[in-house]
Amino acid sequence: MNEPEGVWQNCTNSAIRRAARQLGQLYDEAIAPSGLKGTQFSLMSQIALAGRDGVALKPLAEALVMDISALGHTLKPLTRDGLVELIADEKDGRVRRARLTALGMARQEEALTLWRDAQARFDAAFGAERSAEMRALLGFVASPGFAKAFRAGKPDA
């Protein structure tokens, strides 16, 4: 590696953010023909998992490790473009749920095909086993349990 030295070499947060920006750019390029950005595709994929009943916004935000206002900001262009609709919860009308429209399901499927190609390219460049291991590690870092342990932990003085 002929990388200049930088803070990311000593700071986990900086290293992850730098890698996330690069991967975000690469995946955005890969799925660009669908008209979606990587963040939009990820959000729509989470919503798609919920099916026709949709998913309540608060648990969706928690699953994505976002605050509810950031989720609302990310949903705006998707609702404006008719890809996602916000509906009232059948049991509690105060709760809003997000679900894909028919157009949203088609767009998400189109992007999924492009994403699969990007994922295969990542696995080829990084190694499929290392890729799976990294996703598991990052999944742990994104978990509430890790956040709790991080906040409770204090380095020895």
Side-chain angles (χ1 to χ4, degrees):
M1 288 192 195
N2 294 329
E3 293 284 322
E5 290 204 22
V7 71
W8 58 85
Q9 293 179 328
N10 296 307
C11 175
T12 304
N13 181 51
S14 295
I16 289 174
R17 286 177 180 264
R18 183 171 181 247
R21 282 192 298 274
Q22 169 126 320
L23 278 177
Q25 292 167 2
L26 293 170
Y27 275 69
D28 279 352
E29 289 171 17
I31 66 169
S34 72
L36 296 174
K37 297 245 183 233
T39 52
Q40 293 172 322
F41 168 72
S42 294
L43 176 55
M44 289 176 67
S45 294
Q46 281 296 128
I47 295 169
L49 291 173
R52 289 302 307 156
D53 291 335
V55 60
L57 297 185
K58 185 176 181 196
L60 178 60
E62 290 169 356
L64 295 168
V65 192
M66 300 174 88
D67 62 49
I68 199 81
S69 64
L71 175 61
H73 179 75
T74 306
L75 281 170
K76 276 184 185 179
L78 298 173
T79 57
R80 178 198 65 219
D81 295 344
L83 303 173
V84 173
E85 60 186 347
L86 299 178
I87 56 173
D89 186 272
E90 289 181 11
K91 295 177 182 160
D92 184 349
R94 297 170 298 174
V95 173
R96 295 188 317 159
R97 301 179 77 78
R99 73 176 173 198
L100 297 184
T101 64
L103 178 61
M105 286 186 265
R107 186 75 60 86
Q108 193 269 343
E109 282 294 323
E110 177 186 354
L112 183 60
T113 300
L114 297 165
W115 172 84
R116 283 185 179 124
D117 177 63
Q119 193 67 19
R121 286 189 274 154
F122 182 90
D123 287 349
F126 194 71
E129 189 174 310
R130 288 175 64 204
S131 178
E133 184 178 301
M134 183 175 64
R135 284 191 303 274
L137 291 169
L138 292 173
F140 172 69
V141 171
S143 74
F146 177 83
K148 182 179 178 182
F150 180 91
R151 289 181 178 116
K154 302 271 190 249
D156 293 335

